[in-house]
Structures are given as structure tokens and as C-alpha cells.
Amino acid sequence: MSAPKKLYIKTYGCQMNVYDSERMAEALGGKGYVETKTPDDADMILLNTCHIREKAAEKVYSELGRFKHLKAEKPDLKIGVAGCVAQAEGEEIIKRQPMVDLVVGPQSYHRLPAMEDAVRSGAKALDTDFPEDDKFDTLKTRAKGKRGPTAFLTVQEGCDKFCAFCVVPYTRGAEVSRPADRVIREAQELVEAGVKEITLLGQNVNAYHGHARGLAGLIWELDKIDGLERIRFTTSHPNDMDDALIEAHGTCDKLMPYLHLPVQSGSDRILKAMNRKHSGESYIRLIERIRAARPDLLLSGDFIVGFPGETEEDFEDTMSLIREVHYGQAYSFKYSTRPGTPAAEKPQLPEDVMNDRLQRLQALLREQQQQTQAAMVGREVKVLFEKAGRETGQMIGKSEYLHAVYAEAPADVLGQVRAVRIVEDSPNSLKGVLL
Ligand code: 5AD
Ligand code: SF4
């Protein structure tokens, strides 16, 4: 038997890309590839790219430049670009960087084995279709090998919301949900392989419609799987938080008390210009209802500062919303012009204004995050231990609130959910003792 070929995948961007990279590796596994952690000994390099903010394409081109010497040393090395930059740039990538052999969009990676044949015969391969055949159906079932205790599972892709700043509806296409029975089967297989916690993924995951009762219906089906202990989902849109999903946060024990629910801005004027189709007030009322169902829920959000036309008053509205809601965790970004999106046509704010607002916003969010971390001290949490820590005897895992928790513990806690008392907080993690 010939030695396995080596595949190096570098993943950028969101968790959906992490999931896609795993599936691409599995698809190429059938062609005799095993994954390697370094590009230096690879027979194929794949960059799984993200296009959500500026300069993404430029970063990809400069990263590709770094592989030039590898290609010169090893002419058989094949280089591919996958993901959303591949979708957005298409053929342009091969024109600008002729050493690229393969360009594959996020909806086409089930075609990678055939594309690999083509590039091995010396041809270039390009596929950025939104094909009729569903990649999830065409991909073979997942390998049975033992896995870590947590896994991502993509259940929905694409977005029909068309927020004025966002490229996702263009790069990932229209909203598509995977049928519930397929998702459940994949979840069962993950659990058989040792997975205890599944995070359901979708660009707009709570718009999931592969089950008659939506995402809540799917969650309740997954709840029945013995051995699956925790369910999470991300990312959601406020307008798709239906009653059943809110209720599940209060009644489904396996559904973890953590919710990522981006609002982007607290100004109704800006929310309207962003085409978000909700107001600051309606978002706050929604949070109240979710917290009534699950009072200890840890809330996370996304914010954009400096959207075209944002005044100091609009920005202050965002700060007020943050003060009112109180976030345990958050991601914030300077507005970044995405060609082809409606907002790209509008005059941009000066960079120094955006920088200043981002700093103020992040200071407030950091303060809230630290308060949330500090409030955990003395509390008992349940930690799913995932890996050994840097210091001997130390194990690291996640609490139900997604806090990173480390504790002195024997190695056999790995893969188990154990009670831990929090004794110390720091900005990004918590220290606990095993109970
Ligand atoms: N500029 C800045 N941030 C953006 N996001 C999406 N598009 C842009 C953009 N053009 C942010 C949003 C979204 C998160 C995934 O990325 O906050 O929720
Ligand atoms: Fe982009 Fe999310 Fe808006 Fe969809 S809902 S357009 S993915 S920001």
C-alpha cells in the first residue's frame, strides 16, 4: 500500500468553517489523505477562508505567497482555496495566483474527491456552484473513530435576512435546512464516537425548518439521545427566537444556559438602515422573556460600531442598550465595507471616529464580562472536561455557561461532566476545585 498523502487545512472565521474543514478532511480521507499539522510536509494545502470583514481576500493572497517556496521544492504539492473567499473571488484567485490548483466554494466541498483527481492529472479545478445535489447527502457518513467530547454539527446554512452590511447571503446563499432525521443520525454517530456535547451550527440557526417544530423540535429530538449530555446552538437572529425555543431554554435540561443573540446596534435609526427588522426595544423585551424562562442564562452578542450614518447619539443608544441588557460575553467589530452589499454604497465614517467608539464599547463590554466572571466565584458549576491544562494535574473544560474552567483533577475526568466549585476568576477563565 502506498503511504498516505498528507493534507494541511488552515481554517479561518466561524465555527461553520471548522465543521466544514472536518468534513473536507473526511471527504479527502477517502482519497488516501491524512491530516498533518504543518504545511511543510503536506501533499495538499487547503485554506478554508472567511470573507465576513475587510481585507479577507488580501490576507489569503499573502498567505498563499508564503507557500510559494514549498511549491517550488515540491512540484506535486497541490494548493486549494475553499470557503467564502473562494465563493466570492472564484476564478480570480487562479488568475492572480496561478500556483493555486483548486478553488471550491462552501456548497461544493462534497465534490472535492473528483476535483482532487482533476488536479492530480495537472488540471485546475474550480467549483463555486450552488448545486442542486445537497452536499450533506453526497458526503459519506462520518468516520467512526474516537472523538473528543465536543463537536459542531451544521444543521442550517445560508441566510435570507440581507442585513445591509453582510456578505453571508451572497457567499453562503439562501437559507437551507438539513432534514431533522439526517441531523439526528449524525448526532447519534457523534455520540457513539464519544461526543457528549453538540453545538448546532447555522448562519441563522434558529430559522431552522428541517423539523416541523423548528429548532426547538430538533432540540427535543436530540434530547432523547442517551449519552448526549449537552446541546448548544449558534448563531441566532432575534426575529427567529420563537416561543417554543424560548420555552426550551427553561424546560430542556440538556440545552445549556448560554445564548449568542447579536443585536448589532442599539439605535433604531441604525437598525433600520441595517435592515435588521427589529428595534432596540423589541430586542430588550425579547431578552426579558428569555430570561424569564431561564434566569441564569449567560447572554452573548455581536456589535458593529461606525455603520454608515452612525452619529454619536446613535452610538450612545448602543451603549445604553448594553447597560440595560448586560452581556456576559460579546464580540464587537468596526464596520467594514463589503463590496456588493447595500451599505457599501454609503459614505463611510472616519477611521478615528470608529476606533474611538470601538474602544469605548469594548471597555464597557469588558467590564460586564469581568463582572459576570467575578459573580461566578463561590458558585458550583458543571464542567465538561475537554483537555489537560498547561500545568501538570490540571484539566480544562467548559461550564454550562461556556466559561473556560480549570481545576486540579485526575486524567479520567476527561470527557466527563463533573461538579466544580469556582474559587477564582480572571478575565478569560475561572479556577475551580473538583467536588
Ligand atoms: N463589518 C463589520 N462586522 C460585520 N459583521 C458582519 N458583517 C460585518 C461587516 N461588514 C459582524 C456582525 C455579525 C458577525 C458574525 O460579524 O456583527 O454578527
Ligand atoms: Fe449576515 Fe447574520 Fe444578517 Fe444573515 S442575519 S445577513 S448572516 S448578519
Side-chain angles (χ1 to χ4, degrees):
M1 224 176 85
S2 59
K5 289 175 277 182
K6 293 193 175 152
L7 170 69
Y8 171 73
I9 305 189
K10 183 161 180 178
T11 307
Y12 301 80
C14 66
Q15 291 123 325
M16 298 198 54
N17 270 7
V18 176
Y19 176 86
D20 284 354
S21 290
E22 275 179 24
R23 304 294 318 245
M24 286 195 272
E26 288 169 8
L28 286 170
K31 306 285 299 176
Y33 281 89
V34 294
E35 273 193 89
T36 170
K37 291 198 171 352
T38 143
D40 301 337
D41 64 350
D43 299 289
M44 179 178 289
I45 296 175
L46 278 182
L47 299 182
N48 192 8
T49 59
C50 170
H51 203 230
I52 195 94
R53 279 171 291 274
E54 223 171 351
K55 302 199 181 88
E58 294 315 312
K59 271 190 229 151
V60 172
Y61 288 116
S62 77
E63 184 77 37
L64 285 169
R66 285 200 248 160
F67 298 138
K68 234 178 198 147
H69 73 282
L70 290 176
K71 186 102 174 176
E73 286 162 19
K74 194 174 181 181
D76 271 356
L77 169 67
K78 300 297 174 192
I79 297 181
V81 179
C84 294
V85 173
Q87 190 65 44
E89 295 271 299
E91 217 174 340
E92 188 60 28
I93 297 179
I94 298 177
K95 279 202 196 121
R96 261 186 75 174
Q97 195 51 275
M99 70 172 193
V100 171
D101 301 285
L102 179 160
V103 175
V104 60
Q107 302 310 325
S108 308
Y109 63 70
H110 56 300
R111 295 177 174 172
L112 267 174
M115 294 173 82
E116 201 266 348
D117 286 340
V119 298
R120 284 284 155 217
S121 71
K124 301 274 183 199
L126 171 83
D127 195 334
T128 52
D129 287 351
F130 286 103
E132 282 295 312
D133 51 331
D134 177 6
K135 69 179 177 199
F136 294 110
D137 288 354
T138 321
L139 281 166
K140 61 189 184 68
T141 51
R142 308 198 65 174
K144 291 274 182 297
K146 182 108 183 77
R147 299 185 52 115
T150 63
F152 293 132
L153 204 177
T154 294
V155 302
Q156 180 276 343
E157 279 191 286
C159 183
D160 295 337
K161 294 277 188 289
F162 289 93
C163 297
F165 50 80
C166 185
V167 284
V168 167
Y170 311 96
T171 55
R172 290 268 175 170
E175 237 173 76
V176 179
S177 293
R178 295 176 67 190
D181 55 343
R182 308 253 170 78
V183 174
I184 293 160
R185 206 177 316 143
E186 192 172 328
Q188 276 161 343
E189 284 168 7
L190 288 170
V191 171
E192 280 161 24
V195 169
K196 301 281 168 57
E197 172 181 303
I198 291 181
T199 302
L200 305 174
L201 299 180
Q203 258 98 29
N204 222 315
V205 73
N206 60 343
Y208 177 78
H209 56 265
H211 187 281
R213 285 177 296 120
L215 186 65
L218 177 66
I219 288 170
W220 283 112
E221 297 287 347
L222 296 173
D223 181 67
K224 292 183 206 153
I225 300 179
D226 279 342
L228 178 63
E229 299 191 34
R230 296 177 153 192
I231 304 167
R232 304 181 186 275
F233 62 88
T234 197
T235 283
S236 301
H237 190 286
N239 291 1
D240 292 314
M241 284 304 295
D242 62 21
D243 292 349
L245 191 54
I246 296 175
E247 194 188 317
H249 274 286
T251 50
C252 179
D253 290 340
K254 290 187 183 178
L255 184 58
M256 291 294 102
Y258 178 97
L259 179 64
H260 182 64
L261 197 61
V263 65
Q264 316 295 357
S265 167
S267 152
D268 288 346
R269 219 175 57 80
I270 294 299
L271 286 167
K272 194 162 190 322
M274 285 178 165
N275 193 32
R276 290 287 296 180
K277 301 196 175 79
H278 61 77
S279 66
E281 191 59 27
S282 69
Y283 177 85
I284 289 169
R285 297 286 90 84
L286 175 64
I287 299 298
E288 284 171 0
R289 287 176 53 220
I290 302 168
R291 282 191 170 140
R294 182 77 204 218
D296 62 340
L297 184 108
L298 192 144
L299 193 72
S300 160
D302 287 343
F303 299 90
I304 296 178
V305 299
F307 185 80
E310 184 188 74
T311 62
E312 182 58 25
E313 203 184 332
D314 293 320
F315 174 70
E316 276 305 331
D317 286 346
T318 303
M319 296 290 272
S320 306
L321 179 138
I322 294 172
R323 283 189 202 98
E324 188 160 351
V325 171
H326 203 283
Y327 289 86
Q329 157 86 51
Y331 304 86
S332 47
F333 314 97
K334 273 190 289 185
Y335 169 72
S336 166
T337 311
R338 309 312 293 125
T341 59
E345 308 295 316
K346 300 192 182 153
Q348 309 298 304
L349 259 58
E351 194 67 24
D352 57 339
V353 173
M354 291 209 261
N355 286 336
D356 172 64
R357 288 182 190 163
L358 187 66
Q359 271 186 24
R360 284 147 66 202
L361 183 102
Q362 289 186 337
L364 176 60
L365 289 169
R366 211 165 27 242
E367 190 185 308
Q368 295 194 344
Q369 182 176 333
Q370 277 168 13
Q371 282 167 2
T372 311
Q373 302 264 109
M376 296 307 294
V377 176
R379 280 185 58 183
E380 183 185 324
V381 293
K382 296 277 193 308
V383 176
L384 172 56
F385 284 98
E386 292 172 29
K387 57 182 182 198
R390 248 178 287 151
E391 285 166 35
T392 5
Q394 200 182 62
M395 295 292 156
I396 300 182
K398 297 272 166 56
S399 73
E400 42 291 55
Y401 309 102
L402 213 56
H403 284 126
V405 179
Y406 61 97
E408 295 277 315
D412 66 2
V413 299
L414 286 181
Q416 289 184 18
V417 176
R418 299 286 295 264
V420 167
R421 168 115 28 235
I422 303 300
V423 292
E424 208 179 300
D425 69 293
S426 57
N428 296 311
S429 64
L430 298 171
K431 182 178 174 185
V433 288
L434 207 59
L435 294 174

